[in-house]
Amino acid sequence: FVLLMLPRRVCFFTAAIAVQKAGCAYVPISHTYPAERINYIISDCQPKLIITTSEIFHQRNQKGELNIGNAHLLFLDKTDLKSVDASPADLSSPDIPALLLYTSGTTGKPKGVLHSSHSLLCASLIWKLELGEDAPWLATAVMADFSFIASTFDTFGPLYYGGCVHILGEDVRADMDYVRKYIHDNHIYRMFMPSAFGVAMINTYELDLKRLLLGGEKVSGINPEKLTGDVAIFVGYGMSESLAIDTQ
């Protein structure tokens, strides 16, 4: 396993794809996690390599609370990527592990669930089947944490079929005014929002989205009078165990 603890930037997806091409599975975790959760995941999956940045690692390990075990550390900002072969051998395969997702742990300890490349491809088919021939020309914005199942549907679908993925930064993804303007200015077609945030957006603005998926908690409080735009709203429940989302 290769653990990814990276900022919300393009480098995360570059690293994720590189890990898969190397025939390994990546484990996404957020650097905002409590040290106890980070250490538990590292202890449980025993990664051979941790890819992060020196800033994130030293910021989280100021008091020496992180225990990386026998894993090697790779700081992207300290690595000369120009000296690396840009076209390495592709060791990926549909049936080998590609992604290890950990559950929230709300009912006990977090559980790691392993998914194959084939599973990721099947999950991304939602984008293709929903949008058809328009799939390569439409954009999605990623609000969910990269370690949360919802992010896989907002990223791998568009990436596999030629769509455009916009990453909302850590410092702005909870700013309603910013998110509303970003959706409008960048012609975002589809995105996931946490239920409470999404309901607040619906009740405050006329959204330019065409597809909005809400999830993570119970949806309540939507003002019917605010449902005047063209956006289709889906309430989803994501299951890390099956890399699927049920909608209603």
Side-chain angles (χ1 to χ4, degrees):
F1 296 112
V2 177
L3 188 141
L4 304 184
M5 188 167 62
L6 291 166
R8 292 181 61 82
R9 295 200 292 267
V10 174
C11 62
F12 175 89
F13 297 107
T14 303
I17 293 172
V19 170
Q20 292 179 61
K21 290 189 69 174
C24 301
Y26 76 95
V27 187
I29 66 170
S30 172
H31 62 87
T32 63
Y33 281 168
E36 181 182 5
R37 179 177 171 90
I38 294 176
N39 287 337
Y40 173 82
I41 292 175
I42 292 175
S43 174
D44 186 64
C45 72
Q46 295 290 306
K48 297 294 185 182
L49 178 67
I50 297 175
I51 302 178
T52 183
T53 66
S54 59
E55 179 182 3
I56 286 178
F57 184 79
H58 294 311
Q59 184 181 50
R60 286 311 319 268
N61 201 39
Q62 289 180 358
K63 300 180 180 179
E65 65 267 45
L66 295 185
N67 182 6
I68 66 170
N70 295 320
H72 295 282
L73 277 173
L74 175 64
F75 296 136
L76 282 186
D77 55 326
K78 302 295 184 180
T79 303
D80 181 12
L81 297 178
K82 293 181 180 179
S83 65
V84 179
D85 182 2
S87 301
D90 188 351
L91 303 178
S92 63
S93 172
D95 298 323
I96 65 174
L99 167 64
L100 181 63
L101 276 179
Y102 275 82
T103 59
S104 62
T106 53
T107 58
K109 289 185 176 181
K111 181 173 64 174
V113 184
L114 200 55
H115 302 282
S116 67
S117 297
H118 184 261
S119 296
L120 288 177
L121 179 60
C122 289
S124 69
L125 281 173
I126 293 176
W127 176 265
K128 178 67 173 179
L129 293 175
E130 178 184 355
L131 304 179
E133 296 301 319
D134 291 330
W137 316 111
L138 300 175
T140 184
V142 187
M143 173 176 283
D145 194 281
F146 294 154
S147 60
F148 184 43
I149 186 174
S151 69
T152 62
F153 294 91
D154 278 343
T155 54
F156 285 105
L159 289 176
Y160 283 173
Y161 294 104
C164 183
V165 178
H166 294 251
I167 304 170
L168 296 180
E170 192 71 51
D171 57 334
V172 297
R173 59 178 176 150
D175 184 329
M176 290 176 56
D177 289 334
Y178 180 91
V179 172
R180 160 67 182 87
K181 187 175 186 302
Y182 195 93
I183 291 171
H184 174 79
D185 292 348
N186 293 279
H187 308 288
I188 302 300
Y189 183 90
R190 177 188 183 276
M191 69 182 297
F192 164 88
M193 294 182 185
S195 298
F197 187 91
V199 169
M201 291 287 289
I202 294 168
N203 290 342
T204 306
Y205 310 101
E206 182 174 331
L207 299 177
D208 295 324
L209 290 167
K210 297 302 180 183
R211 300 284 189 275
L212 173 60
L213 176 64
L214 303 178
E217 57 190 345
K218 182 179 179 180
V219 175
S220 62
I222 294 179
N223 183 352
E225 296 181 0
K226 296 293 184 177
L227 300 177
T228 57
D230 296 329
V231 59
I233 301 171
F234 300 85
V235 179
Y237 175 74
M239 299 172 289
S240 297
E241 289 84 350
S242 63
L243 202 65
I245 287 185
D246 292 331
T247 60
Q248 60 181 23

